[in-house]
């Protein structure tokens, strides 16, 4: 009668579960009240002490149910034990006085399945069935009829089969609800971790830009200031040599201005956002090639647009940082970007024909972008390799795990 109390929260809204629980308990109380009225009405006009005693015991069971069960959202095991022992005891006492209310035991039969653990409910319902048979046999074992025994036996077995079936469904539903709750919690944690990674990446980029400006523009401005003072003194003694130094100073100024523009371009460069990875990488390659007079070949399959947002953002940042470094330091003429989607991994290779990567470049001052690339790739369980080609040039290779084959990846909605 109280199976609703076992239904898991993920399957039924709290308000619905509360209403259903109140509905079941209403009928439990009503059945006890009806038994009290029935005993008195059946014997109205010839009421004797035993009728009043049975009515009082029945009413006491109703009061006990309201106090111990109906008025509480959760009931402890100790309170349940006291309730069933006391209630069934009063029911048996009423049956010893007058077997008229034997059917009242069926309310305990149903309550056990809704309130007790499976093992306790099976044992308790069996005891109630035996007591009901004794009720109807006048508490004389010799008078128990085979048909009555078979009827209650089949009833108990049938209820057991239904109960065990429903218990299995409820248990599966509860496990599924718990799994869904854990998955939702994990999703929230992943989202929070991703937001934290974005914040950390922004902080690292800010630190990198500050140090880059200090190392390049700051040093250049200091040099310009020193040279201006020297030129000011030199013009009085050797104007020709002073003019030559002015030309050198103009070259240094143009170089510093170009470095500043590259840094500002990197600062303004947005994340991937809602853009498709293949189109964004092609656009970036064209822009870098035009700006640095490079031949940039970009080969990225359309299936890359179906990768997860975190993977696409990482590949975009690797390409962006690599092309920036090639433009600034490599003195290359040709660059190739290639993304290969294999059954279990993806391989992203960026290769140029420039001067190569210095040994232990990540550990050197000013190479914060290389460390940032490695942190992004390894944060997704991948491996980043930085190497110099034997024939000259640099090779950047990022290998990331791929969940599902490329053909099975779903294209993200925009």
């Amino acid at each position: 009668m109280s199976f609703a109390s076992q239904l898991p929260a993920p399957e039924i809204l709290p308000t619905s579960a509360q209403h259903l629980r109140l509905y079941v308990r209403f009928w439990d109380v009503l059945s006890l009240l009806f038994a009290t009225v029935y005993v008195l009405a059946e014997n109205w006009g010839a009421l004797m002490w035993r009728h009043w005693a049975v009515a009082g015991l029945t009413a006491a069971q109703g009061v006990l149910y309201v106090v111990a069960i109906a008025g509480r959202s959760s009931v402890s095991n100790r309170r349940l034990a006291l309730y069933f022992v006391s209630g069934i005891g009063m029911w048996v006492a009423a049956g010893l006085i007058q077997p008229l209310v034997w059917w009242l035991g069926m309310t305990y039969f149903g309550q056990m399945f809704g309130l007790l653990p499976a093992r306790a409910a099976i044992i308790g319902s069996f005891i109630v069935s035996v007591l009901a048979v004794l009720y109807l046999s006048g508490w004389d074992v010799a008078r128990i009829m085979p048909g009555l025994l078979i009827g209650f036996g089949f009833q108990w077995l049938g209820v057991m089969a239904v109960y065990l079936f429903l218990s299995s469904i409820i248990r599966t539903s509860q496990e599924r609800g718990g799994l869904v709750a854990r998955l939702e919690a994990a999703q929230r944690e992943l989202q929070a971790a991703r937001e934290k990674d974005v914040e950390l990446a922004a902080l690292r980029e800010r630190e990198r830009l500050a140090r880059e400006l200090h190392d390049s523009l700051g040093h250049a401005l200091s040099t310009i200031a020193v040279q201006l003072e020297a030129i000011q003194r030199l013009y009085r003694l050797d104007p020709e040599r002073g003019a030559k130094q002015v030309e050198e100073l103009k070259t240094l100024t143009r170089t510093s201005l170009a470095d500043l523009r590259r840094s500002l371009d990197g600062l303004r460069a947005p994340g991937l956002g809602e853009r498709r990875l293949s189109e964004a990488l092609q656009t970036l390659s064209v822009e870098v090639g035009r700006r640095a007079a490079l031949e940039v070949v970009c080969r990225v399959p359309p299936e890359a647009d179906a990768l997860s947002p975190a993977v696409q953002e990482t590949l975009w940042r690797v390409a962006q940082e690599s092309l920036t470094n090639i433009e600034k330091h490599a003195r290359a003429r040709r660059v190739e970007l290639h993304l290969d989607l294999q059954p279990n991994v993806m391989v992203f290779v960026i290769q140029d024909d420039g001067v190569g990567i210095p040994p232990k470049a990540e550990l050197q001052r000013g190479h914060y972008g290389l460390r940032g690339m490695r942190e992004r790739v390894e944060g997704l369980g991948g491996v980043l390799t930085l190497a110099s080609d034997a024939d000259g040039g640099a090779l950047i290779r990022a290998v990331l795990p791929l969940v599902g084959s490329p053909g099975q990846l779903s294209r993200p909605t925009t």
Side-chain angles (χ1 to χ4, degrees):
M1 295 177 63
S2 301
F3 279 118
S5 61
Q6 289 190 355
L7 290 173
E11 299 295 329
I12 293 184
L13 295 175
T15 53
S16 301
Q18 183 179 7
H19 293 161
L20 185 58
R21 185 167 56 247
L22 291 174
Y23 174 81
V24 171
R25 291 179 178 177
F26 166 78
W27 284 106
D28 285 342
V29 174
L30 185 64
S31 62
L32 293 167
L33 179 62
F34 174 78
T36 302
V37 175
Y38 175 76
V39 170
L40 296 177
E42 181 73 12
N43 299 279
W44 193 258
L47 292 173
M48 300 178 62
W49 68 269
R50 64 175 181 272
H51 302 136
W52 288 106
V54 172
L57 288 170
T58 304
Q61 294 175 61
V63 173
L64 178 64
Y65 179 80
V66 171
V67 173
I69 304 298
R72 300 176 181 273
S73 58
S74 61
V75 186
S76 64
N77 291 335
R78 181 179 180 183
R79 186 177 293 272
L80 284 173
L82 290 174
Y83 165 73
F84 281 109
V85 170
S86 302
I88 292 175
M90 287 188 286
W91 171 61
V92 171
L96 290 173
I97 298 173
Q98 186 175 7
L100 187 64
V101 291
W102 69 269
W103 54 268
L104 199 58
M106 295 301 100
T107 60
Y108 294 107
F109 193 95
Q111 291 171 19
M112 287 179 177
F113 295 118
L115 297 173
L116 295 179
R119 182 177 299 178
I122 292 174
I123 296 174
S125 62
F126 179 78
I127 293 175
V128 169
S129 298
V130 172
L131 291 174
V133 171
L134 292 174
Y135 241 115
L136 295 173
S137 301
W139 303 99
D140 186 356
V141 177
R143 295 176 55 188
I144 297 177
M145 299 177 62
L148 182 64
L149 193 61
I150 293 174
F152 270 89
F154 274 108
Q155 174 186 336
W156 181 79
L157 290 174
V159 172
M160 286 303 100
V162 174
Y163 171 69
L164 293 175
F165 173 71
L166 292 179
S167 295
S168 175
I169 294 177
I170 291 172
R171 184 171 58 254
T172 302
S173 179
Q174 288 174 334
E175 293 174 353
R176 185 171 64 251
L179 179 60
V180 169
R182 289 193 295 272
L183 287 175
E184 290 177 349
Q187 184 178 10
R188 288 192 296 268
E189 292 177 359
L190 286 174
Q191 181 64 27
R194 184 181 177 189
E195 293 175 356
K196 185 177 180 180
D197 287 342
V198 171
E199 293 177 0
L200 290 176
L203 291 174
R204 286 194 297 266
E205 183 67 14
R206 188 180 303 171
E207 179 184 3
R208 182 193 68 81
L209 182 62
R211 294 185 180 182
E212 183 176 299
L213 291 176
H214 175 269
D215 294 342
S216 59
L217 187 60
H219 292 167
L221 290 176
S222 299
T223 303
I224 290 173
V226 172
Q227 288 193 9
L228 283 174
E229 293 177 358
I231 291 171
Q232 188 178 20
R233 294 192 299 268
L234 189 60
Y235 252 113
R236 300 173 184 173
L237 303 175
D238 190 351
E240 184 178 351
R241 186 178 174 188
K244 186 181 297 185
Q245 286 202 1
V246 169
E247 292 299 325
E248 294 177 358
L249 186 59
K250 288 167 61 177
T251 301
L252 176 61
T253 303
R254 293 191 186 99
T255 303
S256 301
L257 184 59
D259 290 341
L260 177 60
R261 286 173 177 168
R262 278 194 294 265
S263 298
L264 293 179
D265 287 341
L267 179 63
R268 289 194 301 266
L272 188 60
E274 298 299 326
R275 296 179 296 170
R276 296 186 182 277
L277 178 64
S278 57
E279 297 175 0
L281 290 179
Q282 290 287 353
T283 302
L284 178 64
S285 300
V286 171
E287 291 177 352
V288 173
R290 183 186 304 116
R291 186 171 61 242
L294 283 170
E295 181 186 357
V296 183
V297 179
C298 180
R299 292 192 294 270
V300 178
E303 291 81 6
D305 298 332
L307 297 172
S308 68
V311 172
Q312 292 191 50
E313 185 70 23
T314 296
L315 296 177
W316 163 254
R317 293 299 184 182
V318 169
Q320 189 181 59
E321 182 65 29
S322 299
L323 291 177
T324 299
N325 290 335
I326 292 171
E327 180 183 358
K328 291 172 61 177
H329 308 297
R331 299 199 296 273
R333 292 170 298 178
R334 177 181 172 84
V335 183
E336 291 187 9
L337 288 80
H338 177 62
L339 178 62
D340 182 21
L341 300 179
Q342 300 176 7
N344 298 316
V345 297
M346 67 190 76
V347 181
F348 189 40
V349 176
I350 302 174
Q351 188 171 12
D352 66 72
D353 59 355
V355 297
I357 299 178
K360 300 181 180 179
E362 293 177 72
L363 304 179
Q364 297 180 12
R365 182 179 180 182
H367 291 277
Y368 309 107
L370 296 178
R371 290 200 290 272
M373 281 197 304
R374 184 175 297 281
E375 290 172 359
R376 286 179 178 274
V377 172
E378 293 180 351
L380 295 179
V383 177
L384 181 71
T385 303
L386 306 175
S388 293
D389 198 320
D391 298 329
L395 175 67
I396 299 175
R397 187 171 185 265
V399 180
L400 291 167
L402 180 63
V403 180
S405 62
Q408 297 173 334
L409 296 173
S410 59
R411 185 177 295 276
T413 58
T414 57

